[in-house]
Amino acid sequence: PDAEPPIIRRIELTRASEDIKAASLRMLDSLPSYPKLLIGDSHYHYKQYLEWQVPLLARGVSQVHALRVTEQGFTPVDDIMFAAGSPHCPLTPKDLGVLPQPGPIKTKEDIELFRSKADLRAAYVMVSNKSPDEQGKMRVKCPALDGNIGCPRWPESMVTAREKGQPTITQAAVDQWDGKVPACCKQQTVTVTVPDKVLKLRQRYYYGSQEWWDLYCLRSFVEACFGGRKSPNNEALKKGSFQRMGITWASLVVTMTAVSYNLRMLHAWQRRTGAGDLANPLFRAISIDPERVQFSFLSDDEKRRKRERHTRSEKSS
């Protein structure tokens, strides 16, 4: 609660007919350094892998996102079961394919169930030391060989798994292959070529893990920022707030609401904690006159009176 509030650093308004990829990449390129993680709206996640994720990865940026219903479940690639962009053991329990994310109205129990199932499935993830290359190829290793689960094909892993209380695969499950054993179950490592529709789901942190959950929950700051600027008690930015047409006018208004929001948030934080670098221009602005941390639209009468005062001032000078 006492941490310095996140503020708006960059804004670019686009027409509804324009794609947001180019504008978003321009804003990233304008920063002094690239962030390592991008927590964005689900709209970004809809973008094609080559058009959005690849440019991000080229800048060293990884996306943190949820999964749509259609992106849940296992996708087999060379007998390896991919889920949420990660390769899993071919014998991963099928009921772990779908991990519905808790909705906006969720209980502590909903979160714990989601997290526990994610941790259980994560044990079956095949180990990979490197991300996929430009062709989507990656080398992976059986999780039993890495000591994460127990499998009868590797007897030593069964002993270790029982000692550590890790998941184990039954002999009956192994026997179902009927002699057609996947390469990943016979070799130390195998190479698999991952299709784009699977690659776009990959994330730095495993989907549903505690690290992923903590990061994804930071999206609430973005939602709160939009809500705060739309509130009639704050900037009151909403449809009908202004009648002028054009991207330039709209950009000016949206930028003004962002400035007002930033100053309002920083002023409230400084007043609450007494913290903040007063040499910062933003803090100088609010320390001079806290009432400047706001703006309002003028009515026609107010604009007329303002013009008249300005005209009289010019004549007298």
Side-chain angles (χ1 to χ4, degrees), residues 205-259:
Y205 298 104
Y206 187 76
Y207 172 72
S209 67
Q210 188 64 60
E211 294 88 350
W212 178 90
W213 180 256
D214 290 343
L215 286 167
Y216 185 73
C217 285
L218 293 177
R219 284 187 71 248
S220 61
F221 285 106
V222 182
E223 302 299 338
C225 175
F226 280 112
R229 283 183 287 155
K230 292 177 181 178
S231 170
N233 297 322
N234 299 321
E235 285 72 38
L237 179 65
K238 61 182 179 180
K239 185 177 181 180
S241 294
F242 57 94
Q243 286 73 45
R244 297 293 183 103
M245 300 295 290
I247 194 73
T248 302
W249 173 256
S251 295
L252 285 170
V253 172
V254 172
T255 300
M256 289 169 66
T257 65
V259 172

Side-chain angles (χ1 to χ4, degrees), residues 12 75 125 153 196 242-243 245 303:
E12 181 166 344
T75 300
V125 173
R153 292 197 62 82
D196 288 355
F242 57 94
Q243 286 73 45
M245 300 295 290
K303 285 187 285 187

Side-chain angles (χ1 to χ4, degrees), residues 73-129:
F74 288 118
T75 300
V77 181
D78 296 339
D79 293 319
I80 296 172
M81 307 304 290
F82 277 83
S86 297
H88 296 73
C89 165
L91 295 177
T92 303
K94 294 182 180 179
D95 63 342
L96 295 177
V98 177
L99 298 181
Q101 187 177 324
I105 303 176
K106 51 185 174 290
T107 64
K108 183 179 179 181
E109 290 72 23
D110 294 333
I111 298 173
E112 289 177 349
L113 178 61
F114 169 71
R115 287 274 304 102
S116 62
K117 291 188 70 173
D119 287 344
L120 178 58
R121 192 175 74 180
Y124 293 87
V125 173
M126 305 192 77
V127 182
S128 175
N129 294 328

Side-chain angles (χ1 to χ4, degrees), residues 110-177:
D110 294 333
I111 298 173
E112 289 177 349
L113 178 61
F114 169 71
R115 287 274 304 102
S116 62
K117 291 188 70 173
D119 287 344
L120 178 58
R121 192 175 74 180
Y124 293 87
V125 173
M126 305 192 77
V127 182
S128 175
N129 294 328
K130 293 183 179 180
S131 298
D133 62 17
E134 294 180 356
Q135 287 75 42
K137 292 183 178 180
M138 62 186 301
R139 291 195 67 81
V140 296
K141 182 171 71 170
C142 168
L145 289 175
D146 209 53
N148 296 326
I149 62 172
C151 178
R153 292 197 62 82
W154 312 101
E156 299 85 354
S157 68
M158 294 292 286
V159 177
T160 303
R162 291 192 183 102
E163 290 176 349
K164 295 183 177 180
Q166 296 171 327
T168 58
I169 294 172
T170 64
Q171 184 63 52
V174 173
D175 292 341
Q176 74 173 331
W177 294 111

